[in-house]
Amino acid sequence: MLGNPIRDRRAERREATRAEILDAAWEMVRSEGLAGLALRDLARKVGMQAPSLYSYFDSKHAIYDAMFAQGARAYLERESLIPTTGDALTDLRAGLRSFIGFCTEDPARYQLLFQRTIPGFEPTPETFAIAVAGLERLKDRLAGIGVTDPRSVDLLTAIGTGITDQQISNDPGGGRWSRLVDDAAEMFCNHMNATPNPPRRNRK
Amino acid sequence: MLGNPIRDRRAERREATRAEILDAAWEMVRSEGLAGLALRDLARKVGMQAPSLYSYFDSKHAIYDAMFAQGARAYLERESLIPTTGDALTDLRAGLRSFIGFCTEDPARYQLLFQRTIPGFEPTPETFAIAVAGLERLKDRLAGIGVTDPRSVDLLTAIGTGITDQQISNDPGGGRWSRLVDDAAEMFCNHMNATPNPPRRNRK
DNA sequence: GTCTATATTTGGATAGAC
DNA sequence: GTCTATCCAAATATAGAC
């Protein structure tokens, strides 16, 4: 396989420029906050005038959408890199650690993917599907460890986002909450073992 | 005590108008989102033109600040209403329930108080002190139950905000996560009992 | 204290020449 | 595809009359 004899160089260049714009946009939201993304400044950053951006994206929301897709793909990839051993505690730890690491290493991305903070923005269905696939994979992984009760899944996601949230908003760049990851995994694991799968009512 | 013989009716009226403005502002942020507060609309809502607001507040941030103060006072009050029995599990449940209820019953207030989402806004020191007092009271209450290890306190706040966050952003108005409150309290309580106070290193 | 009028800024988006 | 020029809208804030 030698590649197509005729490459669409124009499309390639266009794609490269789109990527460059998105990279610059990520830089901006990381330093200015998600809402602080201004097309003028973004254009300047890649050596253009603002209207030129419209050759590459239909609107500002289209840029957010493309960023969302990149973020969701990154999550999907990260999720599939999590090692599994079959031991519940070990795997829970690894999973939580991965999730919290992914979120705290780029708070702007976390905000874009997991919180609803941009006024009129919602990802397109195609883009959102990527995120759904990521959560699906998470659920599968949990099921492999024996976490099948939806309530337990919900509790675990709450723990993950809770640590993440506190870390980001009260100790940005630090590790005060991230460090609790192993404790949290252990706590959740014990809880799981104490309350077997089909959730019983009236347990005291 | 018959009250001051000379009341400052002018100051009273002014204070009443300020309160009216703040009430209207709360209504707006609840329906439009925190960032959606527009002075024009706010003024209309209380039967004024926008510039007239400046007779009552120096700036938009001053309005946010006053709202923050109200929210923090409400939290403080709520915190002191939490019944304590001395039984750790019972009291943890009540506390978590109260916190999550407080947050989910008014997501805009939660966003204002506990997340940093308004671009340039930070509460003034005097206002922030109210919030600090609330958290101080929370810490005292936990200490009364035996939760003194700072890591445990952090873990517990993470659980509380995690449930809150998931509830607000993924099931607004519902109870999918709020309902996990008792489970969470039990889980945390067991964890606490399993790991006595001075946190041991190298526990497996 | 409230109004009208206006300044100022900012940002997204479009038209049309080149 | 990129630019200049421009439009339009929204929003905070100020000046000054009444």
Side-chain angles (χ1 to χ4, degrees), chain A residues 23-37:
Chain A
D23 284 350
W26 279 114
E27 257 190 70
M28 284 189 58
V29 300
R30 279 185 205 116
S31 70
E32 309 289 321
L34 249 197
L37 182 64

Side-chain angles (χ1 to χ4, degrees), chain B:
Chain B
M1 251 211 282
L2 292 171
N4 298 329
I6 298 176
R7 288 179 9 213
D8 188 342
R9 304 188 74 92
R10 191 168 311 184
E12 283 175 15
R13 178 150 197 86
R14 181 185 162 81
E15 213 38 56
T17 303
R18 277 177 59 103
E20 195 187 340
I21 291 169
L22 291 180
D23 284 350
W26 279 114
E27 256 190 71
M28 285 190 57
V29 299
R30 279 185 205 116
S31 70
E32 310 289 320
L34 250 197
L37 183 63
L39 295 194
R40 269 196 228 310
D41 303 345
L42 176 56
R44 289 287 175 204
K45 199 155 190 163
V46 295
M48 288 180 182
Q49 293 296 323
S52 304
L53 293 176
Y54 286 84
S55 300
Y56 298 94
F57 296 96
D58 287 342
S59 68
K60 189 182 185 180
H61 276 6
I63 295 178
Y64 279 132
D65 192 68
M67 295 171 77
F68 190 106
Q70 286 188 331
R73 261 188 289 271
Y75 175 76
L76 197 56
E77 190 180 346
R78 189 75 65 94
E79 172 69 39
S80 34
L81 288 180
I82 298 172
T84 53
T85 66
D87 176 60
L89 177 55
T90 306
D91 292 355
L92 271 175
R93 255 189 216 158
L96 261 188
R97 212 183 290 222
S98 165
F99 178 76
I100 292 166
F102 178 81
C103 293
T104 54
E105 84 190 12
D106 193 340
R109 182 177 60 187
Y110 169 73
Q111 213 183 338
L112 177 62
L113 289 179
F114 298 110
Q115 305 190 313
R116 298 282 171 276
T117 160
I118 302 174
F121 171 68
E122 276 203 44
T124 59
E126 310 88 67
T127 298
F128 193 64
I130 307 173
V132 171
L135 295 178
E136 217 49 57
R137 198 167 294 183
L138 162 64
K139 255 205 259 181
D140 289 349
R141 192 168 48 79
L142 291 180
I145 308 178
V147 183
T148 53
D149 174 17
R151 289 169 60 95
S152 294
V153 176
D154 285 349
L155 183 54
L156 184 59
T157 61
I159 293 171
T161 56
I163 291 177
T164 298
D165 240 58
Q166 292 287 89
Q167 183 57 57
I168 287 177
S169 47
N170 295 324
D171 183 34
R176 181 169 155 192
W177 274 272
S178 318
R179 266 193 289 274
L180 302 178
V181 135
D182 289 352
D183 268 17
E186 198 177 316
M187 172 183 69
F188 179 81
C189 202
N190 290 335
H191 171 71
M192 230 180 59
N193 293 333
T195 61
N197 256 343
R200 290 170 297 168
R201 305 288 164 204
N202 295 332
R203 78 166 162 278
K204 179 65 181 311

Side-chain angles (χ1 to χ4, degrees), chain A residues 37-40 51 54 60:
Chain A
L37 182 64
L39 296 194
R40 269 177 185 40
Y54 286 85
K60 189 182 185 181

